[in-house]
Amino acid sequence: PRWVDDALVYLSDESGWYNLYRWNVDGPTNLCEIEADFTEDAQGWLLGLSPYVVLNDNTILSKYSSEEGTTLVHIMEKSSVAFTVPSASVSSLCKTESGFYYVGGSPTEPPAIWHCELKDKTCKKLLDSMDPELLNPFKSVLSIPRQIKFPSEGGIGYGYGFFYRPTRCAIESVKPP
């Protein structure tokens, strides 16, 4: 949770999804009611990690996971704007005066530090965690995850997960056992 002036901003699964809420003397308010989680498993429990950052009194930058992948949402008082970043994963959000930093990567790109400007919605890679060329020999055998939705047992709701389609090694002469 984060204090913003006289209100507390926090995550709650009150709606069945982990959405962002603001609580003040008038009670709780869902800031962006959608059927998606504004968190990842461990982020609410690890010190210093958060799937959202308060930019100013009435603006919050948050991320959520949807069927399309991770999406950043710029939440302003009574409205929200989607913000697309060039990474499949987003973590370690940190605000700046004009935007934010984050760590982002993908199954085929190593994690890197990025800086994004809110005004013109541009992002620039600042530093790679490793040389991206080191992954090139393995790209043909990497299984790229795809988010899937499936009916849960008993037809009560849906489950969500990642499907990793099998890949074949480029070496055809080696047969599996």
Side-chain angles (χ1 to χ4, degrees), residues 2-81:
R2 305 273 191 271
W3 285 103
V4 180
D5 287 337
D6 61 349
L8 181 67
V9 175
Y10 62 98
L11 288 167
S12 172
D13 64 350
E14 184 177 321
S15 68
W17 297 92
Y18 278 100
N19 282 188
L20 278 169
Y21 287 79
R22 179 181 301 218
W23 183 88
N24 59 22
V25 294
D26 299 326
T29 304
N30 191 325
L31 296 176
C32 187
E33 193 167 352
I34 59 173
E35 291 187 357
D37 287 330
F38 279 89
T39 186
E40 291 176 357
D41 294 344
Q43 290 218 342
W45 304 106
L46 293 177
L47 187 61
L49 293 181
S50 176
Y52 64 94
V53 63
V54 177
L55 299 175
N56 60 42
D57 292 347
N58 64 358
T59 306
I60 298 169
L61 182 71
S62 182
K63 68 176 188 158
Y64 69 88
S65 297
S66 67
E67 290 180 42
E68 292 80 36
T70 300
T71 303
L72 282 171
V73 176
H74 185 202
I75 302 170
M76 298 168 284
E77 197 72 38
K78 302 190 189 231
S79 67
S80 61
V81 177

Side-chain angles (χ1 to χ4, degrees), residues 120-140:
D120 58 6
K121 292 190 174 186
T122 59
C123 295
K124 180 181 178 184
K125 187 189 294 188
L126 302 178
L127 180 66
D128 281 310
S129 62
M130 63 182 266
D131 183 359
E133 298 297 317
L134 293 174
L135 289 178
N136 284 345
F138 305 104
K139 285 186 178 180
S140 66

Side-chain angles (χ1 to χ4, degrees), residues 81-100:
V81 177
F83 191 103
T84 304
V85 294
S87 310
S89 68
V90 174
S91 65
S92 304
L93 291 170
C94 181
K95 74 176 182 175
T96 66
E97 284 191 27
S98 60
F100 61 97

